[in-house]
Amino acid sequence: MLYPLFCYRILLKKMIIAYLLLGSNLGDRKKYLSDALELIELRLGKISACSSLYCTASWGKHDQPDFLNQVIALETRLSPESLLDGILTIEIELGRVRNERWGSRKIDIDILLFGKQIVAQRELKIPHPFLHERRFCLEPLCEIAPGLIHPIFGTKMSELLTELSDNLSVKKLS
């Protein structure tokens, strides 16, 4: 059950930079991403960097419309768990319905990284377990933070991108 943000906000002593992936493949995709950015900044922290928008083929389930994806850097004092709770609330408010794994959706917001932290909980895994396998994550992430180090592999994101075997279409929008 989700509660209002003020009920479960756990603040950290110092600011952390979290990297989030936003995606949409239903309806007015740009509007859903824009609305999500507005709510993220209003409730969860300060957005310090945004990648370009990328049009990407769906991953995991190929018989659906292309996604618009974007990665942001978010300066936050929230704990990883509170950040996830806030993200889930925003997704629901914007009309997210979870019907099937990797199915089409109006909005999807994933935590890719949370500082250098590694989190391995049932409902929360950081870094995102598929980050290093997905071009649609790495391309926009490398646009804003190519020198960022993967906290488990100890490898720069730009190196992970060059070694990537995922060849699904990822096109930067002008």
Side-chain angles (χ1 to χ4, degrees):
M1 177 175 203
L2 297 175
Y3 298 96
L5 189 58
F6 62 85
C7 291
Y8 52 75
R9 179 171 284 177
I10 299 171
L11 297 177
L12 302 173
K13 292 181 181 174
K14 67 177 191 166
M15 196 72 70
I16 296 285
I17 297 179
Y19 291 88
L20 308 181
L21 173 72
L22 287 71
S24 175
N25 76 333
L26 292 176
D28 188 343
R29 301 173 302 166
K30 285 184 180 179
K31 175 130 177 57
Y32 284 118
L33 294 178
S34 175
D35 289 350
L37 289 173
E38 185 177 316
L39 290 171
I40 287 167
E41 187 140 68
L42 181 67
R43 299 177 185 172
L44 306 179
K46 179 183 180 223
I47 297 172
S48 57
C50 287
S51 76
S52 301
L53 292 176
Y54 288 78
C55 184
T56 67
S58 63
W59 190 93
K61 191 168 187 287
H62 306 291
D63 62 341
Q64 57 187 344
D66 287 347
F67 278 81
L68 281 188
N69 288 109
Q70 183 174 41
V71 169
I72 63 169
L74 179 72
E75 297 176 15
T76 188
R77 291 187 189 279
L78 295 176
S79 68
E81 297 81 8
S82 292
L83 179 60
L84 178 62
D85 287 342
I87 285 168
L88 293 174
T89 299
I90 289 169
E91 286 181 340
I92 290 169
E93 287 177 24
L94 294 177
R96 169 78 188 258
V97 178
R98 294 178 186 273
N99 289 328
E100 62 181 314
R101 187 173 189 189
W102 297 323
S104 292
R105 47 210 175 264
K106 292 177 180 177
I107 190 69
D108 184 36
I109 307 169
D110 291 331
I111 302 172
L112 298 178
L113 298 160
F114 191 88
K116 296 178 182 177
Q117 291 188 32
I118 298 170
V119 179
Q121 300 172 4
R122 185 171 180 264
E123 298 295 323
L124 180 61
K125 294 182 180 21
I126 301 172
H128 191 287
F130 296 114
L131 169 61
H132 63 287
E133 297 177 9
R134 294 176 168 175
R135 185 170 302 282
F136 71 89
C137 293
L138 286 172
E139 288 268 350
L141 180 58
C142 285
E143 179 186 333
I144 62 173
L148 199 60
I149 305 291
H150 193 289
I152 293 175
F153 303 132
T155 306
K156 288 182 182 179
M157 295 299 158
S158 59
E159 293 173 23
L160 290 173
L161 181 59
T162 61
E163 298 167 1
L164 190 63
S165 62
D166 175 11
N167 60 1
L168 288 177
S169 174
V170 174
K171 295 178 184 168
K172 186 176 180 178
L173 300 181
S174 53

